[in-house]
Amino acid sequence: MLQSRIKSFINYLKGKNILIITHHPTDLDGFATSIVLQFFFKNLFKNQEISLYFSEFSKLIKSFLYKFKKKFPNFNFKSLNNINISNFDIIIIVDTNNLDQVNFIEDFKRLDSNIPFIFIDHHFNLNNEYNGNLKSLNIIFENYSSTAEIIIELFRRFKIEIPTPYKVLLATAILTDSGFFKYGNNQTIHNISNLIKDEISFQEILPLLNSEPDISERIAKIKGLQRVDLLRIEEWLLGITHVSSFSGSVASMLISIGFDIGIVCSQKKNETIISTRAKKEVCQKTGLHLGKILSEIREGSAGGHDGAASLNCNLDLEVVLKKVIDKIKKVLII
Ligand SMILES: [Mn+2]
């Protein structure tokens, strides 16, 4: 991580009232990162307002929080229900670098606010030109498997101790975002190991993350499977299907049952959502980068990594699906 960038980032924030927000819906990495980053700033800066705002918690986060609070009854965090934007000087947006994935930004735009914002993220850098984004201070590093690991780096640089509950939060974020190391690298394992040391037992963390998918998610998976089309390109197997919700977890399921690439479409009113997943092997052998491919579809808004990415757009489903498949074909056919 660029030492000088962190330095300018922290210097800039001195004396400013900070609002931390993340993408919608909030996932564990976005959630944990926001809370731990608030703790970090509170340690570093005194007499500055440092607040959190979450748009909506997923079922996973709700069930996680329930178990987490049982484990750490004294742990508390406060997030705002309403934002009075004039109270803040700067907004930090974590775990995304795409404003379309941030709910609150609509109000922000409506208010015609000129409060600047900075991204801290580990997704493919879209390099979007946003008015108000202090691009030179963005901390976007794609080689981290979670934003949580970028935050750990901040604590390390400033020699601030991370209390146990915050460590557990970070660990759960790293585990879920790296797919329990499946999408991680050696550094991911080092980071978890350094974080939990002998203080936290790995087996204590796992039950916090156990959440049985509810019936609607299971139905989506079953229907997604009934409707799947198989497309073979060279030696690779693509699974293409559609569901009305849970497209991300249906796409992951396609990979776990044997497809190399999973493409799941979902149509909602005027919106078409495409969720994609690919096996690491395909990405490594062919250079496939789903995040890049989806971000090339200019009519939409995309985000993601090489092996997992999604796109929201207003295009007709058939049109956008064809575009995505053609682009993937181009990479796979050598
Ligand atoms: Mn993340």
Side-chain angles (χ1 to χ4, degrees):
M1 203 189 284
L2 290 171
Q3 176 87 35
S4 62
R5 174 149 318 206
I6 295 181
K7 235 181 166 179
S8 347
F9 171 76
I10 295 297
N11 279 339
Y12 177 84
L13 296 178
K14 268 181 204 152
K16 297 203 166 61
N17 291 330
I18 305 168
L19 174 65
I20 303 167
I21 61 172
T22 183
H23 52 83
H24 172 88
T26 308
D27 69 1
L28 253 180
D29 193 26
F31 174 72
T33 300
S34 302
I35 290 179
V36 182
L37 188 62
Q38 183 191 38
F39 175 81
F40 173 78
F41 285 151
K42 282 193 170 170
N43 264 269
L44 208 60
F45 307 129
K46 306 291 170 199
N47 307 318
Q48 283 178 227
E49 162 106 24
I50 296 153
S51 298
L52 296 175
Y53 172 77
F54 297 110
S55 57
E56 191 192 318
F57 290 147
S58 64
K59 277 189 188 147
L60 176 83
I61 301 252
K62 283 182 191 154
S63 106
F64 167 80
L65 258 179
Y66 177 76
K67 288 182 248 179
F68 186 79
K69 281 190 173 161
K70 271 192 159 173
K71 195 169 167 56
F72 300 105
N74 296 326
F75 182 86
N76 246 320
F77 72 93
K78 221 173 84 196
S79 63
L80 301 173
N81 297 323
N82 292 302
I83 306 168
N84 185 353
I85 199 84
S86 55
N87 291 347
F88 299 98
D89 305 308
I90 176 82
I91 300 177
I92 309 282
I93 303 175
V94 298
D95 203 34
T96 181
N97 64 85
N98 182 352
L99 278 196
D100 293 339
Q101 295 177 341
V102 182
N103 234 18
F104 143 77
I105 291 299
E106 282 312 310
D107 308 327
F108 182 55
K109 279 185 203 150
R110 215 176 23 244
L111 289 165
D112 207 17
S113 144
N114 36 28
I115 295 179
F117 55 92
I118 301 170
F119 294 113
I120 303 184
D121 189 26
H122 69 119
H123 293 95
F124 175 62
N125 192 345
L126 299 166
N127 254 310
N128 284 339
E129 293 296 335
Y130 292 120
N131 274 341
N133 180 211
L134 305 176
K135 244 182 157 174
S136 65
L137 299 179
N138 284 347
I139 300 182
I140 303 176
F141 293 102
E142 241 201 288
N143 55 329
Y144 286 76
S145 51
S146 60
T147 306
E149 289 159 89
I150 302 180
I151 304 299
I152 294 174
E153 188 84 21
L154 292 177
F155 279 87
R156 207 170 57 80
R157 300 265 164 160
F158 287 85
K159 299 192 168 57
I160 298 175
E161 218 8 75
I162 311 176
T164 309
Y166 293 90
K167 283 186 179 169
V168 173
L169 270 177
L170 290 166
T172 57
I174 301 172
L175 287 172
T176 47
D177 257 37
S178 71
F180 293 83
F181 301 120
K182 230 189 296 172
Y183 313 113
N185 48 39
N186 288 19
Q187 198 53 47
T188 319
I189 296 171
H190 280 301
N191 288 337
I192 277 279
S193 163
N194 285 334
L195 188 67
I196 66 177
K197 294 225 170 78
D198 293 330
E199 181 186 335
I200 304 159
S201 136
F202 186 63
Q203 289 302 333
E204 260 175 70
I205 303 173
L206 295 180
L208 295 172
L209 298 170
N210 271 346
S211 97
E212 271 300 302
D214 66 13
I215 189 152
S216 45
E217 183 170 353
R218 283 188 287 145
I219 291 174
K221 282 180 165 176
I222 293 164
K223 285 193 174 170
L225 202 49
Q226 286 173 323
R227 298 169 184 153
V228 72
D229 283 322
L230 164 67
L231 177 67
R232 181 174 178 162
I233 301 174
E234 306 274 321
E235 76 218 70
W236 309 110
L237 304 180
L238 276 71
I240 302 147
T241 188
H242 61 100
V243 286
S244 50
S245 44
F246 301 104
S247 54
S249 64
V250 175
S252 301
M253 172 197 68
L254 292 179
I255 301 303
S256 67
I257 63 163
F259 288 99
D260 297 299
I261 299 172
I263 304 173
V264 182
C265 314
S266 192
Q267 190 104 57
K268 280 179 186 161
K269 283 187 190 149
N270 303 321
E271 197 183 26
T272 302
I273 301 162
I274 308 268
S275 295
T276 57
R277 297 286 184 278
K279 279 191 183 151
K280 203 82 203 160
E281 190 197 353
V282 192
C283 301
Q284 279 166 349
K285 278 197 177 163
T286 67
L288 178 75
H289 193 302
L290 294 169
K292 242 181 241 173
I293 283 185
L294 295 187
S295 69
E296 280 165 16
I297 297 180
R298 285 284 151 222
E299 300 90 337
S301 160
H305 308 277
D306 54 354
S310 65
L311 169 80
N312 293 51
C313 66
N314 302 320
L315 288 174
D316 184 61
L317 199 148
E318 297 302 319
V319 176
V320 62
L321 186 59
K322 190 178 176 311
K323 283 191 184 202
V324 172
I325 295 174
D326 284 349
K327 282 179 185 290
I328 293 177
K329 262 187 194 165
K330 260 193 201 154
V331 181
L332 299 186
I333 298 172
I334 325 127

